[in-house]
Structures are given as C-alpha cells and as structure tokens.
Amino acid sequence: MIQAFLQRLASWLDRPYFPWKKLVIGFSLAEFALENWLLFRQYRVLQKTTVPKALENEIEKPTFHKSQSYGRAKAKFSFISGLFNQAKSLAVLYFNVYPKVWALAGLLLARYAPARFSGEISQSLLFVYLFGLIDLVFGLPFSYYHSFVLEEKFGFNKMTKKLWLTDMLKGQALTIAFGLPIGSAFLAIIKKTGTNFFYYLWVFMLAVQISAITIYPILIVPMFNKLEPLKPGSLKDAVEALASKLKFPLSELQVIDGSKRSSHSNAYFTGLPWKKKIVIYDTLLEKSSDKEVEAVLAHELGHWKKGHTTNLLLISQAHLFYIFSLFSVFINNGSLYSDFGFHKERPVLIGFLLFNEILSPTDAIIKLVMNILTRKMEYEADAFAVEHGYTAELGSSLIKLQIQNLSSMDADWLYSSFHYSHPILTERLKAMGWTGDKKIVEDKSADEEKSVYAADREL
C-alpha cells in the first residue's frame, strides 16, 4: 500500500520542464532570510546592557558585558560565514557545478584508476570526496579565524596550529576509512534491492549507527584525546555510589584531556545498554567542586534513567525511514535530474543530493520540533538531579558554566526556539526552584586560563 502510493506520487511529480532549480534556489533564499532575521532579533538582545533580573544576584556586570560582547562577535561571524556559504551554495546550483564535478570524477577514474574501479559507485565516492575537498579548502579561513582569532580573543582556544592541522588530517583520514565502505554499501543496496530499497537501507543505517556507538569511544576518541581512569577519591566513590543506586551499568569512569584543545568542557556517558562508561572533561574537574561534578553527572544520568537517549535514537530512525521512503519518489525523476544538468545520466547519489535540497524547507520545522522535545528532556533531567538532592550544586554549576562559557544570559524567544536545544539559564533555574542570594565569582587568573564551554552536549 505504501509502495503503491509512493509510485503514484513519483509519476505525478516527474513533469517535463518543471522548474526544480528555481524552486530549490527559492527555498534556499527563504531559509537564509529566515535564519538572518532570527539572528538579527538575537543580536538586538545581545546589545542590552543590564543583567537579566533573574540573575542580578548571581552575575556581575563586567561578566555580563563580556558575555554580551562574545555573543555579538559570534553573531557577526555567523552572519559572514553564512553569507559566504549561501553564495557558494547558490553558485553550485545556478552554474550546474554538480555535473561538472561528476564529469571530472569520471575523467579521473578513466585516466588513473584500474578498470575494476570504474562504474557509478566508484565515481560517486570520488565525487563526494572532491566536493568535500572543495568545501574543506573554502572553509579553512573560517575555521582558522574561529579558533585563532574569535575564540583566542575571549580566552577559549587552547589549540596550537599544529594540532589544528593534525586534527584536520585525521578527520580526512577517518572520512576515507569509514566513508568508502559505508558509501559503497549505501549505493549498492539501492542498486540491488529495486523499488523496496528504502526498507533495506533503513536497516543498514540502523546497523551503522549502533556500530558507531560501539566503535567511537573505543577507536575514534583515543585518536584525538588521551583518556585515563578517574583517580581514587571522594568523587570517584560518590559517582560509583550514585551509579549503583540508579542501577546504571557503569564499567569505566574516565577523564579526558579536553584542555589540550580548548577550555570547553563537558561530561557524558557512552556505550551499549549493558556496558557504559562516564567521561569527564579535565576542565570540568578543575573548575568545579566534587559536589558540582556529581550534580552534572546526576543530570546526565537523568537522561539515561528517563530513556532520553533511546527515545532520540528511535526518533532518528523514524526520521531516516521517512527520508529514505520519500527519496524513492525522486530517485528516478527525470525532470529533476535534467533541470540540474544531468540529461543523460541519473546517478543515485546525485538524486539523493538534489532530493535533500528539495527537502531543506522541512529542516527548520524538524529542528523546531526537536528543540521543543529536547528542552523538555533537559527540564526532566534537571528535575531528576533535584529529586536526588542536587538543587544547590546543579544551580551553582549551571551559573559557573554560564560565566566560564560567556554564554548568552538572555535570548530572543523565537531565536532560541529555532536554535537552542536547551532552555536558557533563567528558565532552568526557575524550573528547578533554585534561589541564589550571592554572586558566583570565579578566580580571575583561573578564568583567563580555563574558561569552560560545554561542548558536544551542553549540560
């Protein structure tokens, strides 16, 4: 029944001379306009000079002003980099860069690769790599500026230029090592399973995700960071006791040297359902008391206890199935390929890229819905920590992170709805019932050296 509906929809959408390119460019411009209107709204909030009333007793004015300045600097960077990326994307679409790079990939394979590497799959993989290389080259100035100018100015960057380059090269190597087999299997499944490919593709991607959850902490993380066991002491005892009380399957408790790259910090858990490990950033240990670190971990364990990680995995799988099944509608759409310069060939990979361009307007809606969901989860994880007696410690740790991160103290409600997966600080403190009556001030010299930012998954 589903397949019959999708086939009818595919026939209806495959219309000669349908202006797919104009439609995609229109979507792209509309999305760009929305993003920058939201950014403008947030920029006006970042120009305020008074501390939000809810934080008057906790945040000093100099800290607030520095936070506002950092927020404005990031907003300006976001606008400039976004404008450049928008211009690049429009140029790629308008000047039919896809067929040109596709032809270049085919030419390189014909001239330099053995005959066994000929064919659509090999050409598709080389096409992806060439496009990735182009994006990498164009993105280098922005990456450099972000790390060594913007972040450096506000005391966050701890990377050397050598480490920056090494990380980039390692990232490229990993892309090739994992991208080639996964990409080959992705395209081969579509080629060999006919019109029902989306069922098989969905199962394959589920297997890839589960494998990644297993492999990432064991193989990938140690390539970039050093991990060592948390030293015996009161914190280790307290965390193990909390994990035991909650029946959390803790197998390892480790510290990661996040400070080698930046003063950003975090704590997270990872692993399979029956065997997990908790990883704490060294910067978090340096800037927080043992009880505050416990509170951070109680929050994270709240996500596990409430099943948030599992729920998000299930939602992502439902979303993937929706994407793959809808892609089956466009995979053989001749008018779509033709409007972007592919008059004789219909490469599967190109079809998938063009399909994603068409689907892009739904990204804003999905992002909004997911933010609503993850905000609810953050409130629940906070409440879990509060129920276990960490109200004061969690509140103070949140404020410390806000100060150390120079995170925005306030936000435009519409901007935050589209961009923040977490509630803003004042909302979280209010929901927790936390009431502070003194300013939380960090040691000034320590602040200059060890400002903390909650990377990956913010607390």
Side-chain angles (χ1 to χ4, degrees), residues 71-271:
R72 291 193 299 270
K74 289 194 297 181
K76 291 174 184 176
F77 175 80
S78 179
F79 173 74
I80 298 296
S81 59
L83 183 63
F84 176 82
N85 288 327
Q86 179 66 19
K88 184 183 67 173
S89 297
L90 290 178
V92 166
L93 296 173
Y94 186 79
F95 294 108
N96 283 343
V97 176
Y98 281 156
K100 292 180 175 63
V101 177
W102 178 261
L104 175 61
L107 180 63
L108 291 173
L109 284 174
R111 285 188 178 180
Y112 303 109
R116 66 179 181 275
F117 290 113
S118 62
E120 183 181 326
I121 291 179
S122 295
Q123 191 169 351
S124 297
L125 296 173
L126 183 56
F127 170 88
V128 169
Y129 181 76
L130 290 174
F131 240 101
L133 199 58
I134 292 170
D135 284 340
L136 177 66
V137 171
F138 279 113
L140 281 177
F142 293 100
S143 175
Y144 182 91
Y145 181 88
H146 182 266
S147 293
F148 296 104
V149 179
L150 194 157
E151 295 289 290
E152 189 88 34
K153 177 181 178 182
F154 290 91
F156 291 116
N157 181 53
K158 301 299 177 185
M159 275 199 300
T160 62
K161 294 178 178 64
K162 180 181 178 181
L163 184 59
W164 177 69
L165 288 170
T166 302
D167 281 354
M168 182 177 61
L169 293 175
K170 286 180 181 178
Q172 288 296 301
L174 287 172
T175 298
I176 294 171
F178 289 97
L180 288 178
I182 293 174
S184 298
F186 182 94
L187 295 171
I189 288 170
I190 295 175
K191 285 288 186 181
K192 293 180 179 180
T193 54
T195 55
N196 291 323
F197 74 85
F198 53 92
Y199 293 110
Y200 299 95
L201 199 57
W202 175 60
V203 172
F204 169 70
M205 290 308 299
L206 175 60
V208 168
Q209 283 189 313
I210 293 174
S211 299
I213 292 171
T214 306
I215 293 172
Y216 179 77
I218 298 173
L219 297 179
I220 308 301
V221 173
M223 291 180 64
F224 294 88
N225 292 93
K226 181 181 178 182
L227 293 123
E228 55 185 24
L230 179 65
K231 294 179 181 178
S234 59
L235 177 60
K236 187 174 186 293
D237 293 340
V239 173
E240 289 176 344
L242 179 62
S244 176
K245 178 182 177 182
L246 300 175
K247 297 182 180 179
F248 178 77
L250 179 63
S251 61
E252 294 179 85
L253 189 53
Q254 296 183 315
V255 178
I256 188 170
D257 62 338
S259 58
K260 69 185 288 187
R261 286 178 176 78
S262 76
S263 45
H264 303 354
S265 78
N266 195 15
Y268 64 90
F269 65 84
T270 186

Side-chain angles (χ1 to χ4, degrees), residues 184-385:
S184 298
F186 182 94
L187 295 171
I189 288 170
I190 295 175
K191 285 288 186 181
K192 293 180 179 180
T193 54
T195 55
N196 291 323
F197 74 85
F198 53 92
Y199 293 110
Y200 299 95
L201 199 57
W202 175 60
V203 172
F204 169 70
M205 290 308 299
L206 175 60
V208 168
Q209 283 189 313
I210 293 174
S211 299
I213 292 171
T214 306
I215 293 172
Y216 179 77
I218 298 173
L219 297 179
I220 308 301
V221 173
M223 291 180 64
F224 294 88
N225 292 93
K226 181 181 178 182
L227 293 123
E228 55 185 24
L230 179 65
K231 294 179 181 178
S234 59
L235 177 60
K236 187 174 186 293
D237 293 340
V239 173
E240 289 176 344
L242 179 62
S244 176
K245 178 182 177 182
L246 300 175
K247 297 182 180 179
F248 178 77
L250 179 63
S251 61
E252 294 179 85
L253 189 53
Q254 296 183 315
V255 178
I256 188 170
D257 62 338
S259 58
K260 69 185 288 187
R261 286 178 176 78
S262 76
S263 45
H264 303 354
S265 78
N266 195 15
Y268 64 90
F269 65 84
T270 186
L272 297 170
W274 58 88
K275 185 180 180 181
K276 294 184 178 294
K277 69 178 178 180
I278 292 175
V279 179
I280 307 171
Y281 278 58
D282 56 355
T283 44
L284 183 62
L285 294 175
E286 292 169 8
K287 297 297 293 183
S288 306
S289 69
D290 285 359
K291 290 297 290 184
E292 287 169 342
V293 175
E294 281 184 54
V296 170
L297 296 177
H299 169 95
E300 293 301 328
L301 292 178
H303 284 300
W304 169 80
K305 194 69 173 180
K306 299 289 184 179
H308 294 162
T309 306
T310 302
N311 291 339
L312 288 174
L313 178 62
L314 293 174
I315 290 169
S316 72
Q317 291 308 307
H319 185 226
L320 271 180
F321 185 79
Y322 156 75
I323 289 175
F324 293 152
S325 59
L326 195 57
F327 174 47
S328 68
V329 172
F330 290 88
I331 191 170
N332 293 311
N333 191 311
S335 61
L336 175 63
Y337 285 97
S338 180
D339 209 31
F340 284 91
F342 289 87
H343 302 289
K344 296 180 179 179
E345 297 177 281
R346 296 181 186 177
V348 170
L349 176 68
I350 298 298
F352 190 67
L353 293 176
L354 297 178
F355 160 70
N356 276 278
E357 296 284 359
I358 295 169
L359 202 64
S360 65
T362 65
D363 289 346
I365 299 171
I366 291 172
K367 185 163 63 173
L368 178 62
V369 172
M370 286 305 298
N371 281 345
I372 292 172
L373 177 62
T374 55
R375 283 172 178 234
K376 179 177 179 291
M377 290 178 175
E378 292 305 319
Y379 282 129
E380 290 176 352
D382 284 348
F384 182 85

Side-chain angles (χ1 to χ4, degrees), residues 30-43 46 74-75 78-79 81-82 363-375 378 408 410-424 427 453-454 456-458:
E31 191 173 355
F32 179 72
L34 172 64
E35 287 291 338
N36 283 280
W37 176 62
L38 293 172
L39 186 62
F40 172 72
R41 289 175 62 100
Q42 176 65 4
Y43 193 83
L46 293 169
K74 289 194 297 181
S78 179
F79 173 74
S81 59
D363 289 346
I365 299 171
I366 291 172
K367 185 163 63 173
L368 178 62
V369 172
M370 286 305 298
N371 281 345
I372 292 172
L373 177 62
T374 55
R375 283 172 178 234
E378 292 305 319
S408 299
D410 199 2
D412 172 74
W413 71 272
L414 196 54
Y415 178 88
S416 65
S417 296
F418 276 90
H419 289 277
Y420 290 175
S421 61
H422 291 50
I424 62 174
E427 295 171 336
Y453 182 88
D456 300 326
R457 178 181 181 82
E458 268 192 346

